[in-house]
Amino acid sequence: MERVLSGMRPTGLLHLGNYLGALRNWVELQEEGYRCFYFIADWHALTTEYADPSQVAHYCREVAIDWLAAGLDPEKSVLFLQSQVLEHAELHIFLSMITPVSWLERNPTYKEIRQELKDRDLATYGFLGYPVLQASDILIYKAHYVPVGVDQLPHLELTREIARRFNYLYGPLFPEPKPKLTQTPKVPGVDGRKMSKSYDNAIYLGDSPEVVWEKLRPMVTDTQRKRRTDPGDPEKCPVFDLHRAFTPSEVREEVVENCKKAGFGCIDCKRILYGHLMDVMGPIYEKRRELAARPSLVDEVILDGSRRARETARETMVEARTAVRLWCPLAEGGAE
Ligand code: TRP
Ligand code: SF4
C-alpha cells in the first residue's frame, strides 16, 4: 500500500482556505485507499513561536478537533502529534549531519518566511533546520506521496536531495517522496485578499452559522457594483470565488446571470452562497459540537495515533541506525 504523509503547523485555527486547499484533499486520499499519516507539526510551530509558545498546545487541540470534524477518520488514517514521536528528532540528527548548510540557506521558503516575519528573530539554528526536520517527518514513514501546496515544493525537493544523499552514503533506505499537488481553489477572505489568519479576514471551521453569516454579509464584492440597480461582474467579485468553491454549477450560472443584469442584490447573492456553504460547513460545525462534549476522545485519538506512528517510525530507525553503524552495545537495532 502506498504511503501518504502530510502535516500542519498548529499556529492558528483552521479556516476555509485550509479546508479547501488541504484538508479536503487529505480526506479524499484517505478514502482512495492510501496508507495515510497526518500529523500536527508542533515542533515546527516552535521554530517561529519559540519566544511565546503559550498558544501552541491550544492550537494543537483545535486542529485535531477540526480534522476529525472535517472527516479525517482515525480508523483509516494515522492521526498524530509530532512531539509524541521522538524518533523524528533522532532521524533529524542523522539528517542534519549530512545536509550542507548551503542547501538550507538557498531555500526560497526560508527566505520568504524570514521576510514575512521580520518582527521575530529567526536567525536560529532550529529555523534554518526547519526543512531537515520536515525531511525526517517524511522519510521516517518512507512516504511515497506528500500532499502539499506549491509553497512547500522547495522543502520537498530538499527532502528528496537529503534522501538521495543518505542512500548514497549509507546504502539505499529511503524512497524519494513525490509531491501530490491538487488543484487548490482561490479562496479569498471577507476583505477580498487571500484568506489568512494574519489578515483577520478568515471564516473558521469552528465559526457558528451565525458568525459565518455576520462575516459574509459585509464581505467585499465587485467594487464597481455600488447600487442594487448597477450590473456587476462576477469575475471581479471575491464572493463569486466562494460560489465557485461551494455552489453547484447550475445555480452558479443563475448567479452569474442575475449579477450581470442586476437581477438581484449582493445580499441575495450572498444568502445563496451562505446556503451552499452551510451544506459543507454545517455538518462540520455539528461534529465539532459533539467532539467538544467529549474532550477526552480527541486526546485518545491523538495518543493512539501517535502510538501507531511510533511503531512505524521505530522500524525505520532500526534500519537507519544499522545503516549508519553506530556502536550499539546492548541490542541489535539500538537503544530502547
Ligand atoms: N512545512 C509544512 C507547512 O508549513 C508543515 C510540515 C511539517 C509538513 N512537516 C511536514 C508538511 C511534512 C508535509 C510533510 O505547511
Ligand atoms: Fe458579487 Fe454576487 Fe454581488 Fe455579483 S451579485 S457583485 S457575484 S456578490
Side-chain angles (χ1 to χ4, degrees):
M1 218 187 206
E2 289 193 301
R3 283 202 276 251
V4 161
L5 173 131
S6 199
M8 280 188 198
R9 277 159 38 92
T11 51
L13 303 172
L14 299 191
H15 53 63
L16 283 182
N18 305 124
Y19 176 72
L20 297 170
L23 197 44
R24 197 177 50 168
N25 300 326
W26 291 14
V27 175
E28 268 169 34
L29 289 168
Q30 142 192 296
E31 306 302 335
E32 282 167 16
Y34 291 98
R35 176 117 185 91
C36 296
F37 293 84
Y38 298 126
F39 73 100
I40 304 172
D42 55 349
W43 282 336
H44 278 107
L46 273 187
T47 62
T48 55
E49 311 302 304
Y50 66 87
D52 176 15
S54 59
Q55 289 301 301
V56 174
H58 166 69
Y59 287 138
C60 283
R61 221 163 171 285
E62 292 298 313
V63 167
I65 294 173
D66 283 330
W67 282 6
L68 297 175
L72 286 186
D73 180 349
E75 303 279 321
K76 296 177 182 159
S77 299
V78 181
L79 310 178
F80 69 99
L81 183 62
Q82 184 184 35
S83 64
Q84 289 287 312
V85 187
L86 301 181
E87 284 76 5
H88 290 223
E90 191 188 359
L91 184 57
H92 172 256
I93 289 187
F94 282 174
L95 301 184
S96 73
M97 302 304 163
I98 67 171
T99 305
V101 175
S102 60
W103 290 7
L104 302 173
E105 283 172 339
R106 69 162 195 240
N107 181 293
T109 317
Y110 170 72
K111 292 188 203 158
E112 268 164 40
I113 298 188
R114 275 195 70 171
Q115 204 58 27
E116 253 171 54
L117 300 177
K118 268 211 205 90
D119 55 319
R120 305 189 197 176
D121 182 2
L122 294 181
T124 59
Y125 177 54
F127 188 68
L128 182 66
Y130 184 112
V132 185
L133 183 57
Q134 182 158 346
S136 80
D137 299 334
I138 298 168
L139 298 178
I140 207 162
Y141 301 100
K142 298 187 182 174
H144 301 92
Y145 295 104
V146 185
V148 282
V150 277
D151 63 307
Q152 294 292 310
L153 289 182
H155 283 162
L156 209 64
E157 193 46 44
L158 212 59
T159 300
R160 295 161 57 85
E161 284 174 291
I162 293 173
R164 232 172 281 147
R165 191 160 161 88
F166 186 101
N167 293 344
Y168 167 76
L169 290 169
Y170 308 118
L173 176 58
F174 298 119
E176 287 180 34
K178 293 185 197 60
K180 220 178 202 354
L181 286 175
T182 21
Q183 34 35 301
T184 36
K186 190 172 164 195
V187 189
V190 292
D191 61 358
R193 293 186 289 174
K194 182 180 158 60
M195 188 176 286
S196 160
K197 66 175 159 54
S198 36
Y199 293 156
D200 199 19
N201 66 357
I203 296 175
Y204 293 99
L205 290 187
D207 283 345
S208 70
E210 295 75 29
V211 168
V212 173
W213 178 243
E214 270 165 37
K215 289 181 175 178
L216 218 49
R217 193 168 25 89
M219 180 165 174
V220 170
T221 61
D222 170 6
T223 47
Q224 300 297 310
R225 189 176 187 203
K226 295 203 172 63
R227 281 171 302 251
R228 162 73 177 77
T229 48
D230 294 341
D233 182 358
E235 294 305 319
K236 294 192 183 127
C237 177
V239 173
F240 193 71
D241 288 321
L242 294 183
H243 271 296
R244 278 204 187 85
F246 292 101
T247 308
S249 55
E250 323 85 65
V251 184
R252 216 161 58 218
E253 279 161 29
E254 289 169 31
V255 166
V256 170
E257 223 176 279
N258 275 312
C259 175
K260 284 186 173 163
K261 63 170 205 251
F264 64 15
C266 288
I267 293 287
D268 304 311
C269 178
K270 288 170 177 174
R271 215 170 271 130
I272 294 169
L273 170 62
Y274 178 68
H276 295 292
L277 200 140
M278 273 302 138
D279 289 345
V280 175
M281 288 190 71
I284 296 180
Y285 185 70
E286 276 312 305
K287 187 88 199 284
R288 258 187 146 274
R289 288 221 314 210
E290 281 169 39
L291 291 165
R294 302 176 61 193
S296 61
L297 183 77
V298 180
D299 294 38
E300 277 163 31
V301 163
I302 295 301
L303 217 54
D304 184 60
S306 302
R307 191 183 48 69
R308 286 194 288 153
R310 212 177 298 133
E311 279 171 24
T312 305
R314 277 189 176 189
E315 285 169 20
T316 307
M317 277 322 294
V318 169
E319 294 176 307
R321 285 183 210 118
T322 307
V324 177
R325 292 200 215 87
L326 290 181
W327 186 32
C328 175
L330 286 178
E332 197 73 18
E336 265 307 299

